[in-house]
Amino acid sequence: MVHRIRNVVIVGGGTAGWLTAGIIAARHRGRMPQNFTVTLVESPNIPIIGVGEGTWPTLRSTLKKIGVSETDFFRECDASFKQGAKFARWTTGADDDAYYHPLMLPQGFVQLNLVPHWLTADDGSSFCDTVCPQGKICDDGLAPKTITTPEYDGSANYAYHLDAGKFAPFLQRHCCEKLGVRHVLADVQSVKLAENGDIESIVTAQAGEIEGDLFVDCTGFRSLLLGETLGVPFRDCSDVLFCDTALAVQVPYESETSPIASHTISTAQSAGWIWDIGLPTRRGTGHVFSSRHISDEQAERELRAYLGPAADGLSVRKISIRSGHREIFWKRNCVAVGLAAGFLEPLEASAIVLVELSAKLIAEQMPVCREVMDIVASRFNATTSYRWGRIIEFLKLHYVLTKRTDSAFWRDNVLPETIPERLQELLMLWRYQPPWLHDEFDRIEEVFPAASYQYVLYGMGFRTEIQPDAVFDDRRTAERATRENKVHIERLLERLPGHRDLIRKIVEHGLQKI
């Protein structure tokens, strides 16, 4: 007899749990009249970690697909626009050492690789400013759209900064009121296994036994279902990414009219880096560092020195980071999403996007019956393992390109034994040919496009040896593309509003519905 998959049980709330619930429920809403259910079981006694404040542009399409109003999102989640990240003091440590990783592709990216032309010109302009307007937009504190731009559209590509403590309850209300998700507030006491090793049910203190056909583990670092119950080991990657601790602090603005940065600011320190995220009501900041290279006290001193008088009287919250991920992510009838699957330092805001990608894959590949679930699980594990591997390599890229030798942390990060073999091979390749569309980035599972590698490589002073024929054939096309980018910059700087001004208008008047 075929065992149909009808009851999906998500254990754990927070951003991971509620995004997963929303994505699955929205995708399978048409099946709900046929007894398909999505249940989220959440402890009333465990607070969410709530520090994931940076997102990717993917969240725009995710929120749109699950039916969220962008206006409501801004009003209720203390949201702001994110147009990329600015990395300061990562290359040399000097005061003027900074570059952008924007969210817009280089001009004409699909038709032409502008890297050889920029390197050959060598006119002193940054790679970002030569190929893309977004760095200039961020420099001027501008928003990526105007108040007349419809919801989820933009003149420049964008993601969000948000208050994670407000985002989860916002998603909860939407999922329960609009998407038919069943919400159970209860503490899990035990997990029951079936004879075949599947999870049969969870036993809760307040709601008794809850059965399911597919269980999604969103229980955070504990990984109650996949880790504790099913025994899937954790794969540590602290030998590659050293940062294992964060000190977080929320900083008020000097006034209600203080400008809001429309990008994440990541400023390198002696043994890690400080994030600085502008929300409408405050700045979310924190120091991510390696406890092997610096003490908590030293790290806090660096954080307070960065913040200056704004930090006076504020207390910091310590967060331990276990850098790595589960060896597999879907075992039997249980799949882990969010911190239950793993976590890496938040250098490129990969936490929420991994939730989105995993939940989307679960929703799209939802097994019809238990008999095919192991096949779906195997494919899910292959894709998700690939994604984690690429993110680890991309984060490490920021460290291995440094020229800093002022502390053991930076010296240790360039030791060959700490660099993944695939990344070492790519760095060798990129000495002679710049990354582009189909060179090493041809899989649908890619999380970072070739453009992201270009922005980091050439933002940090990497040099590729360019052959004369690489620029000769496309010279006129490249010149036209760079001219078009200059015109694009001028137009956007003229018409885009200030970041805080647009957020105020969205809250007061709302954006146009699509």
Side-chain angles (χ1 to χ4, degrees):
M1 184 176 175
V2 174
H3 182 161
R4 299 281 176 182
I5 305 302
R6 290 195 173 93
N7 301 308
V8 177
V9 178
I10 300 164
V11 183
T15 299
W18 286 109
L19 261 181
T20 301
I23 291 168
I24 293 175
R27 174 82 181 196
H28 296 277
R29 199 172 179 189
R31 297 176 59 191
M32 288 186 175
Q34 286 77 50
N35 297 319
F36 182 88
T37 64
V38 178
T39 301
L40 188 143
V41 182
E42 181 178 26
S43 169
N45 301 309
I46 300 176
I48 64 170
I49 290 179
V51 294
E53 297 186 327
T55 71
W56 283 15
T58 49
L59 190 61
R60 287 160 62 193
S61 57
T62 295
L63 294 179
K64 185 178 176 182
K65 281 182 180 177
I66 68 175
V68 167
S69 155
E70 191 174 32
T71 297
D72 291 345
F73 168 68
F74 269 87
R75 286 172 174 166
E76 298 187 40
C77 298
D78 202 18
S80 60
F81 292 100
K82 172 187 171 183
Q83 299 188 71
K86 184 177 183 179
F87 293 92
R89 301 178 60 188
W90 281 78
T91 307
T92 65
D95 290 341
D96 62 349
D97 166 21
Y99 72 95
Y100 279 104
H101 174 193
L103 298 182
M104 293 176 72
L105 294 175
Q107 189 80 23
F109 184 68
V110 176
Q111 292 80 31
L112 177 70
N113 188 354
L114 284 173
V115 170
H117 304 275
W118 172 76
L119 286 169
T120 303
D122 198 21
D123 60 3
S125 61
S126 72
F127 177 69
C128 177
D129 288 347
T130 301
V131 304
C132 161
Q134 205 145 33
K136 295 292 189 184
I137 296 172
C138 291
D139 283 340
D140 280 17
L142 303 179
K145 62 195 293 180
T146 69
I147 192 62
T148 60
T149 311
E151 290 192 335
Y152 300 116
D153 284 353
S155 300
N157 195 20
Y158 66 87
Y160 307 107
H161 290 138
L162 53 84
D163 184 329
K166 295 180 178 179
F167 187 45
F170 173 76
L171 289 171
Q172 172 194 318
R173 290 191 295 275
H174 181 78
C175 289
C176 295
E177 294 170 8
K178 303 290 177 64
L179 298 175
V181 174
R182 177 181 170 229
H183 185 202
V184 179
L185 282 169
D187 292 293
V188 178
Q189 293 180 312
S190 61
V191 182
K192 280 190 177 180
L193 296 181
E195 289 184 6
N196 67 351
D198 281 4
I199 295 176
E200 185 175 277
S201 64
I202 55 171
V203 180
T204 71
Q206 296 92 331
E209 189 171 345
I210 299 173
E211 296 182 341
D213 303 311
L214 174 64
F215 288 84
V216 184
D217 187 348
C218 293
T219 61
F221 289 125
R222 184 182 177 187
S223 192
L224 171 63
L225 304 184
L226 191 74
E228 286 190 18
T229 303
L230 297 184
V232 174
F234 184 84
R235 182 177 295 165
D236 187 278
C237 74
S238 59
D239 57 330
V240 176
L241 298 172
F242 304 157
C243 291
D244 60 1
T245 313
L247 299 177
V249 59
Q250 297 178 358
V251 182
Y253 288 108
E254 289 184 10
S255 74
E256 293 182 354
T257 59
S258 295
I260 304 170
S262 63
H263 54 281
T264 302
I265 302 166
S266 301
T267 305
Q269 303 296 308
S270 66
W273 54 277
I274 289 173
W275 80 78
D276 196 334
I277 286 175
L279 300 182
T281 59
R282 61 170 170 83
R283 289 159 60 200
T285 67
H287 188 178
V288 182
F289 60 93
S290 166
S291 63
R292 287 173 285 174
H293 294 87
I294 192 174
S295 68
D296 291 0
E297 294 73 24
Q298 289 172 299
E300 184 171 344
R301 281 198 296 272
E302 289 189 1
L303 176 59
R304 291 188 180 278
Y306 170 86
L307 294 172
D312 291 349
L314 300 178
S315 58
V316 302
R317 178 161 66 118
K318 182 179 176 180
I319 303 159
S320 297
I321 297 171
R322 194 181 181 194
S323 191
H325 56 83
R326 297 287 156 184
E327 289 191 356
I328 58 172
F329 307 92
W330 191 328
K331 182 177 180 181
R332 305 204 64 83
N333 68 333
C334 175
V335 55
V337 176
L339 299 178
F343 185 69
L344 303 169
E345 61 183 272
L347 184 60
E348 286 281 1
S350 58
I352 292 178
V353 76
L354 278 167
V355 171
E356 291 180 78
L357 292 171
S358 295
K360 183 170 177 280
L361 198 55
I362 295 166
E364 291 175 348
Q365 300 293 319
M366 180 66 65
V368 173
C369 57
R370 179 63 185 87
E371 287 72 15
V372 300
M373 189 181 287
D374 291 342
I375 300 170
V376 173
S378 177
R379 294 164 64 179
F380 180 93
N381 286 329
T383 297
T384 308
S385 294
Y386 180 84
R387 286 171 171 162
W388 277 90
R390 299 299 77 75
I391 290 174
I392 290 168
E393 290 172 0
F394 188 65
L395 298 189
K396 185 66 174 181
L397 181 68
H398 297 67
Y399 292 101
V400 302
L401 295 174
T402 189
K403 297 177 178 65
R404 292 183 61 159
T405 58
D406 52 293
S407 69
F409 175 82
W410 295 103
R411 294 192 296 270
D412 291 349
N413 257 300
V414 299
L415 295 174
E417 59 267 29
T418 74
I419 306 173
E421 183 178 353
R422 183 178 182 275
L423 180 57
Q424 292 190 43
E425 292 177 352
L426 288 172
L427 287 166
M428 173 62 76
L429 180 65
W430 292 333
R431 289 183 191 175
Y432 303 98
Q433 61 185 65
W436 194 38
L437 277 178
H438 306 299
D439 298 340
E440 307 85 33
F441 309 96
D442 57 353
R443 288 178 59 156
I444 198 167
E445 298 91 355
E446 297 297 347
V447 283
F448 291 100
S452 290
Y453 288 82
Q454 291 183 354
Y455 287 126
V456 175
L457 283 168
Y458 304 111
M460 294 190 71
F462 187 86
R463 305 299 289 183
T464 300
E465 183 181 303
I466 299 301
Q467 307 303 317
D469 61 344
V471 295
F472 181 78
D473 292 341
D474 295 324
R475 187 180 63 212
R476 289 184 178 176
T477 307
E479 289 172 350
R480 184 170 66 249
T482 53
R483 283 197 306 271
E484 288 172 354
N485 183 59
K486 288 179 180 177
V487 172
H488 198 191
I489 290 173
E490 291 174 3
R491 287 176 179 168
L492 291 176
L493 295 186
E494 286 176 3
R495 64 184 293 265
L496 290 175
H499 189 199
R500 181 177 285 281
D501 185 52
L502 177 60
I503 294 172
R504 179 183 55 79
K505 287 181 179 177
I506 292 172
V507 172
E508 289 178 1
H509 307 293
L511 289 160
Q512 294 184 47
K513 301 290 185 183
I514 297 174

